[in-house]
Structure formats: C-alpha cells, structure tokens
C-alpha cells in the first residue's frame, strides 16, 4: 500500500480533535449500548472503545456541538449554514480517488458477523447497523444516500427497514423487477459506516428525489467528497471506514422488533433482504455505533428538518429568526420557533406554518427573539410569563401525524396537535414583558 497506509482521513482527524471518554474494551451485546446510554447526557459524552472483538468503536459522535465543530461554525449557525449548502447542492463535487482505493483491504463476506455491530436492547431481533449510509442509483433520478436501520442475520445476510415514503423505497420498487428479469440478484447497494458528520447529516436530509445527498455533503463541508468505485456494484462510494456492497433482493424476511427514536419498540415487518457481495475496511477501522433513541439519533433525525421548517415558516412570517427541534421532543415531535414579532397575529401564523412545514410535528412553541430556543428553562419562562391559555393556545384534532408517536391513533393514523404562542402581547406593549438587565460596570 505504500504511503497511503498512513494517510489519516478527515473522519479520524475529527475524532482525534474531540474530548472523549476512553473505554478499554466492551462486549457488542448490550455493553456498548449501556456505555453509550450512561454517558449520553454528560458534559463530555463522545466515547472511544478501544477493543470490541479487535475493533475500535466510537459513539455519541454527532451532538449539535460536535457537528458544528466539524464545520468550524457555532451551533446556532448550523441552520443558516445548511440552508446555504442546500442552495449550493448542484455545485457539490464527487471525485474518484485511485490512491484512496489502495487504503482498503478485502474481507470475506461472512466476516460481517465478526464486525463490532451492537445488539442494543433486550428485545432487539439481533445486531443492527444504525449509522450506515445506504447508497443506491437510478438511471433517471441519480444517486440517493439515506440512513436506514439494518438487521444482521446469523446467516450473514441483512434485512433493511425501508420506509414506504422514502426515496430508497421508490428507487428499489422502480428497479427490482427489471433487475430480476435481467438475471441479476437485485438492486446494487453500498452501505458505508464511519464517515464525517456532514455526510450523516446530508444522508438524513429530505429533499426532492433528484436531490443528491452526497453533493449536498460536499456543499456543507465546502470540499469535494472522495469516492472509490464499487468492486461488485455499479456505484461510486464515498470514503468510509467500513464498506459493504450488496444486492437488495426481491426476498423478504422479518425485520424487528427494534427501538425507534422515541425509545419505544417498533413492530415486526417483512422487509427486503440484502445479499452481501463484498466487504472492505480501512486498516484498523473505527466503527461508529449510534444508539437508537439516544441524543445522536435524535440530532441526526431533527437537525436536517430545521432548515426545511425555517423556509416554510419564512413564507408566512418573514421575520422568523431560528428553529429548533428539541431533544425532549425526540427532535421530531416538538419544536421551538423564534420570531421578531412585527404584528399581533405573527405568533399564530407561525404556529400554523410550522405544523404545515413538518407534518410529523406535534407541539410547537413560538417565542420572541430574546428567548434562547436551545434553553428549555428560557422557553418555559416565555410560556409562564407571556401565555394566556384561552387565547394563546391552538389545538388541532384529527390531524395526520407521526407514526413514531406511541400516543397517536395508529389505526386511523391521526393525532392531536398543539401550538403555543409564547410571544409578547403587542397590544399590552413590550415594556411589560422585557426582562430587567443589570448594566455593565464602568
């Protein structure tokens, strides 16, 4: 391999730059998840486990602060940064790198069961890939990259949870019959594990079916994405610690039970089987374990939705300042929206616009721009001092909501939604609501 063997990837540079809790060793059945969970809310929560069956494992990687650090920006600048990158997505660059290809070693496909893939919770169907970016290609729509949970079966095959409304499901269904007719095993797929946070962020983003998540990742990082050619699939694969190539077949098997973002179990479904055709890793690869229902899971689900919500709200309330999907609301069901209130009805309009922009949203609080939307105490203060329930709370019953909400009516697929206008009453005047400030001492 020559000198390429010692080239340090940006993924590893980023990990090395973080303050971490270091663990000597752990078992991949429950112990990794126990360690991740116990440290999920600590000040320093990124973990490096040095030995899991001979592999290194990193976890709690993509906090809001860490993602911002990887991009050399502040956490409160993330949303505007992503909006600009979305606009620049067509200009993102993917570059084939032959030298990068020399950094990989081949593994026997059966070795997948030796990888440090955790079994997270007691009722899980088995070990699950949770941080893998799934890459497919369609001749009309182009490349699609997305994150899906993937069960590793004892026979070495995989079962992927393919959500019906997602683009992967669309591309798979569009192509699978023709692939089988042509004598192929299924739809070409690559799964990459161990990548920079921007790639995970981009793969978690919902866009048009033609939206290229890999180019978007390039725009987020403002640099080209290095790729290599697949060995057994017709795909360009971004640099990663672990690369799994395979075919998404027309065969189905049980997937689940498995824990979703709310920390509760999802149901068992028949889902497509992936036949592995090649495995490659970097030398001494670092696996990324993503705890289901943990903060990292929530951040990667919610953070990409915030720019979409911001743009939707801005169409109705141009003075919107910021949007946050809160961790207490699983970064999916609850949001706080900051506005510079210009007219008395802005708060109510922002509620309706927020619920429309993110259909899974259940509760939203609208606050003035003097409130820190990332501080739950500050948000609660706004609710306590600026809300009169009879006129400032909007309840919408019988709306379509999130399938992830265990309290919803899943038979009818309906839920109740609520918006709280916790902004200052302009009729009473802002003077009654402005908080006292201690002057600087001269």
């Amino acid at each position: 391999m020559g000198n390429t063997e010692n080239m340090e990837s940006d993924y590893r540079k980023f990990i090395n730059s973080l303050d971490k809790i270091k663990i000597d060793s752990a078992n991949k059945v429950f112990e990794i998840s126990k360690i991740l969970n116990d440290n999920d809310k600590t000040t320093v929560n990124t973990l490096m486990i040095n030995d899991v069956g001979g592999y290194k494992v990193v976890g709690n990687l993509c906090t809001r602060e860490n993602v911002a650090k990887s991009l050399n920006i502040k956490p409160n600048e993330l949303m505007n940064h992503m909006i600009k990158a979305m606009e620049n997505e067509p200009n993102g660059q993917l570059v084939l790198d032959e030298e990068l290809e020399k950094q990989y070693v081949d593994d026997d496909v059966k070795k997948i069961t030796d990888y440090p893939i955790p079994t997270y919770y007691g009722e899980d169907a088995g070990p699950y890939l949770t941080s893998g970016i799934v890459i497919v290609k369609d001749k009309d729509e182009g490349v699609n990259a997305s994150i899906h949970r993937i069960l590793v079966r004892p026979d070495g095959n995989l079962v992927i949870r393919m959500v019906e409304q997602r683009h992967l499901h669309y591309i798979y269904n569009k192509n699978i019959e023709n692939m089988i007719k042509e004598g192929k095993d299924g739809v070409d797929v690559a799964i990459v594990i161990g990548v920079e946070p921007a790639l995970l962020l981009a793969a978690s983003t919902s866009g048009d079916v033609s939206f290229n998540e890999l180019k978007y990742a390039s725009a987020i990082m403002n640099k080209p994405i290095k790729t290599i050619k697949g060995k057994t699939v017709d795909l360009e694969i971004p640099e990663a610690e672990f690369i799994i190539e395979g075919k998404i077949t027309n065969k189905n098997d049980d997937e689940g039970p498995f824990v979703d973002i709310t920390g509760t179990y999802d149901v068992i479904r028949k889902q497509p089987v992936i036949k592995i055709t090649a495995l490659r890793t970097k030398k001494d690869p670092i696996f990324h374990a993503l705890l289901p229902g943990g903060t990292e899971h929530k951040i990667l689900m919610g953070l990409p939705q915030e720019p979409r919500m911001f743009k939707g709200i801005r169409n109705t309330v141009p003075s919107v300042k910021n949007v946050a999907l809160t961790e207490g609301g699983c970064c999916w069901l609850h949001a706080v929206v900051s506005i510079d209130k210009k007219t008395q009805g802005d708060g109510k309009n922002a509620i309706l616009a927020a619920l429309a922009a993110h259909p899974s949203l259940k509760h939203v609080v609208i606050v003035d721009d003097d409130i820190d939307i990332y501080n739950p105490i500050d948000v609660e203060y706004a609710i306590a001092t600026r809300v009169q329930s009879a006129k400032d709370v909007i309840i919408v019953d019988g709306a379509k909501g999130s399938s992830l909400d265990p309290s919803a009516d899943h038979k009818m697929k309906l839920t109740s939604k609520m918006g709280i206008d916790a902004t200052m009453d302009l009729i009473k005047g802002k003077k009654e609501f402005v908080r006292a400030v201690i002057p600087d001492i001269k």
Side-chain angles (χ1 to χ4, degrees), residues 268-334:
I268 299 172
R269 300 176 180 85
K270 293 292 184 183
Q271 294 289 281
V273 172
I274 297 177
K275 178 183 177 182
I276 297 175
T277 55
L279 294 177
R280 282 185 281 179
T281 70
K282 290 282 191 79
K283 184 182 178 183
D284 299 323
I286 303 174
F287 187 87
H288 179 196
L290 196 155
L291 179 69
T295 298
E296 187 173 21
H297 183 187
K298 294 170 184 175
I299 291 295
L300 287 173
M301 281 275 287
L303 193 57
Q305 301 299 324
E306 293 172 2
R308 190 160 66 91
M309 286 185 64
F310 181 87
K311 291 196 289 185
I313 297 166
R314 187 173 58 186
N315 288 337
T316 302
V317 182
S319 62
V320 62
K321 293 296 183 182
N322 209 345
V323 175
L325 284 155
T326 67
E327 290 179 28
C330 304
C331 290
W332 198 249
L333 302 174
H334 286 183

Side-chain angles (χ1 to χ4, degrees), residues 353-394:
L355 293 174
H358 180 41
S360 291
L361 196 62
K362 186 178 179 182
H363 300 142
V364 59
V365 181
I366 312 299
V367 297
D368 298 289
D369 57 0
D370 68 321
I371 299 296
D372 181 359
I373 63 174
Y374 302 108
N375 183 344
I377 295 175
D378 223 26
V379 174
E380 188 177 353
Y381 168 83
I383 295 172
T385 62
R386 300 176 186 181
V387 172
Q388 285 295 302
S389 300
K391 66 184 183 69
D392 292 324
V393 176
I394 295 175

Side-chain angles (χ1 to χ4, degrees), residues 24-44:
D24 289 334
S25 63
N27 191 299
K28 63 183 179 181
V29 179
F30 306 144
E31 194 171 2
I32 291 176
S33 50
K34 172 70 173 163
I35 295 168
L36 291 172
N37 185 65
D38 286 351
N39 292 281
D40 194 28
K41 300 297 182 185
T42 55
T43 304
V44 176

